[in-house]
Amino acid sequence: AAGSAALVEATLQRLLKLVELDAERCAVLVCEQFANVADHSSVLQRLRGYPKMELQYLETLLVRRKLGHWKDSDEHQRFFDAHVVRYVELLCTHSPTAVLPFIMENEALPLRECLELCRRFDVTDASIHLLERTGDFPLVLKLLLGDYSAALEKLHGTFAEPPESARPALARVVKRLSAIAAARGQDAGSKEASEALWWEGLPDARRCVGLLEQASEMSARNSNIMTEAQLEELWFGLLRRTVRWQEQVAAAQGAKTKRQVGMASAFEELVSQAMAGLLAFLSLPRSLKWICEEFGPSRLGIWRGPVRSLLSGLNFQLGLLCAAKAVAAQDVVKPFSAVKHRGSRGLRLAPGDLADAAAADPPNDAGRMPGEAVAAVALTFVPAEVGGLFKVRLA
């Protein structure tokens, strides 16, 4: 133990020179060798000047949760509570995409402190998640719609003037979009085309798709909490922003290159995804009215697919309403009365016949009473499907 402590102290004293020699191997040394020391707080204090190394060290202790680092779960929980805010701050600074997954896996976090950090470092997806937990939906919608507008603009820029590093991935995306468009035109595309992730390999496209998915998941979780006006603001806003870019691309003059055709198809896919959310969470008649008012001057070709899906949804709703109306208007008493009438069978016996039957069937040693024979005879006249319902009428 004394030798280990001496190694830690010697390493920390020479940390600056070690980082200058090889920062990556120094980080590995600190995470693997120092994770078993008794006083993690002193190590973290010395690592304050090396935030990436501090991040890796905290990740080793907080996320990987190696049992050998702790005496018991209580000790680990105390360390977690003391350093998790600092870990979130380092994630916001050096790995913002990892903030939301960490927050979703660890719901019992200091909400106010984490939200303040996410807002300060503009980590929008994590901010939206935390604001949703507080119920501040107006601010959630503002952040989500603003982030989506920026993502659409970046996607347009990637297609219009792609950087050299993104050209191979963009070419593959354009090829997949062409296959999807061809399959849609035939109304029966291959399974491979219909299931293709057209945005794969293109981060800007993945960002747009991810925000639409996030909006759908949030709406599903909070459909009973969010007001109708908030849901409309969300989905009408997402659809409006996407269609405006689609109109801008369609209005471009000159011959269309493959990349421009792919860009139009990409926005068409995003419109389709936004329409799916609109159909799921909003009133269809209200949505159709809004589309006609908002996009009356738009080209009909842009709205052919969305309006067709909207009318299909309205037709399905109309079918359900008609079926419900037919069931509600049906006289359900009459069919039951007919069944009851068919099951009611009478047997007319004269008093003399009943007396003769009783006399012919005296009590016996088996204990059968007089008249049971009459009942047995009556039962033979009752149809089997009636289930034993019968009447005996005496004249």
Side-chain angles (χ1 to χ4, degrees):
S4 177
L7 174 63
V8 170
E9 184 61 28
T11 305
L12 291 174
Q13 289 177 359
R14 296 164 177 81
L15 193 59
L16 178 59
K17 293 183 178 180
L18 291 172
V19 170
E20 291 175 351
L21 288 174
D22 194 329
E24 185 175 348
R25 294 182 65 183
C26 181
V28 172
L29 171 67
V30 169
C31 292
E32 291 184 354
Q33 301 298 326
F34 291 9
N36 295 316
V37 302
D39 188 4
H40 297 294
S41 298
S42 63
V43 175
L44 288 169
Q45 189 65 31
R46 303 287 286 273
L47 291 177
R48 279 278 177 164
Y50 310 93
K52 291 186 177 180
M53 199 177 303
E54 183 184 2
L55 174 62
Q56 293 182 31
Y57 189 77
L58 283 172
E59 183 175 352
T60 302
L61 296 173
L62 294 179
V63 180
R64 299 176 187 176
R65 303 180 182 223
K66 295 181 179 179
L67 297 178
H69 298 160
W70 312 102
K71 297 176 182 178
D72 50 43
S73 59
D74 292 337
E75 183 186 19
H76 175 266
Q77 188 61 47
R78 287 193 297 272
F79 182 85
F80 185 93
D81 295 339
H83 298 282
V84 68
V85 174
R86 174 60 179 168
Y87 179 65
V88 172
E89 181 180 2
L90 291 169
L91 283 179
C92 291
T93 307
H94 300 285
S95 183
T97 57
V99 178
L100 180 60
F102 178 75
I103 289 176
M104 294 181 70
E105 291 176 3
N106 300 273
E107 294 292 336
L109 295 175
L111 186 59
R112 183 179 60 82
E113 291 87 344
C114 292
L115 178 57
E116 182 181 343
L117 288 170
C118 293
R119 296 293 307 279
R120 188 199 309 167
F121 292 99
D122 292 327
V123 186
T124 309
D125 53 357
S127 298
I128 291 171
H129 179 78
L130 293 172
L131 285 169
E132 180 189 344
R133 287 169 57 183
T134 66
D136 191 351
F137 291 109
L139 189 52
V140 168
L141 299 184
K142 180 181 178 181
L143 288 175
L144 182 57
L145 292 174
D147 209 23
Y148 186 65
S149 296
L152 288 174
E153 187 173 359
K154 288 188 66 177
L155 178 63
H156 178 268
T158 300
F159 273 95
E161 298 179 2
E164 193 65 33
S165 59
R167 288 179 181 272
L170 185 60
R172 292 191 294 269
V173 168
V174 169
K175 184 177 180 180
R176 285 194 291 268
L177 287 168
S178 299
I180 293 173
R184 186 184 292 114
Q186 298 172 1
D187 291 329
S190 65
K191 183 176 181 181
E192 181 181 355
S194 62
E195 294 181 353
L197 301 177
W198 64 269
W199 42 262
E200 190 173 8
L202 199 62
D204 294 331
R206 178 67 186 93
R207 179 63 177 161
C208 295
V209 172
L211 287 170
L212 289 172
E213 290 175 351
Q214 188 175 3
S216 181
E217 292 169 0
M218 183 184 71
S219 300
R221 286 193 300 267
N222 302 284
S223 58
N224 295 328
I225 302 175
M226 296 177 69
T227 64
E228 183 178 353
Q230 288 171 342
L231 288 170
E232 287 184 356
E233 180 184 354
L234 172 62
W235 288 105
F236 287 164
L238 292 171
L239 184 61
R240 180 191 295 112
R241 285 161 172 77
T242 314
V243 171
R244 292 307 182 197
W245 276 108
Q246 188 181 20
E247 290 177 337
Q248 182 176 332
V249 171
Q253 301 295 326
K256 303 291 184 182
T257 64
K258 288 184 178 180
R259 203 164 61 232
Q260 289 174 324
V261 173
M263 176 166 41
S265 297
F267 283 113
E268 185 177 355
E269 289 296 319
L270 294 174
V271 167
S272 178
Q273 190 174 351
M275 280 297 301
L278 186 143
L279 293 172
F281 300 107
L282 301 186
S283 165
L284 299 190
R286 168 81 180 102
S287 302
L288 183 59
K289 181 180 178 181
W290 176 82
I291 289 173
C292 293
E293 292 175 352
E294 181 76 17
F295 298 99
S298 297
R299 291 175 53 188
L300 183 60
I302 291 178
W303 283 100
R304 181 177 56 187
V307 171
R308 181 169 56 185
S309 62
L310 190 59
L311 293 176
S312 176
L314 284 169
N315 186 54
F316 177 72
Q317 282 191 354
L318 180 62
L320 287 179
L321 290 174
C322 292
K325 182 179 179 181
V327 171
Q330 187 178 8
D331 184 2
V332 295
V333 176
K334 187 175 180 180
F336 281 107
S337 299
V339 172
K340 182 177 180 297
H341 179 71
R342 286 196 301 268
S344 299
R345 294 290 185 270
L347 181 64
R348 188 179 183 89
L349 296 175
D353 295 337
L354 187 60
D356 293 343
D361 189 26
N364 52 33
D365 295 337
R368 194 171 69 169
M369 298 301 295
E372 289 187 13
V374 178
V377 171
L379 284 173
T380 60
F381 289 92
V382 179
E385 64 271 13
V386 176
L389 297 175
F390 65 92
K391 295 180 181 179
V392 176
R393 296 173 56 191
L394 299 178

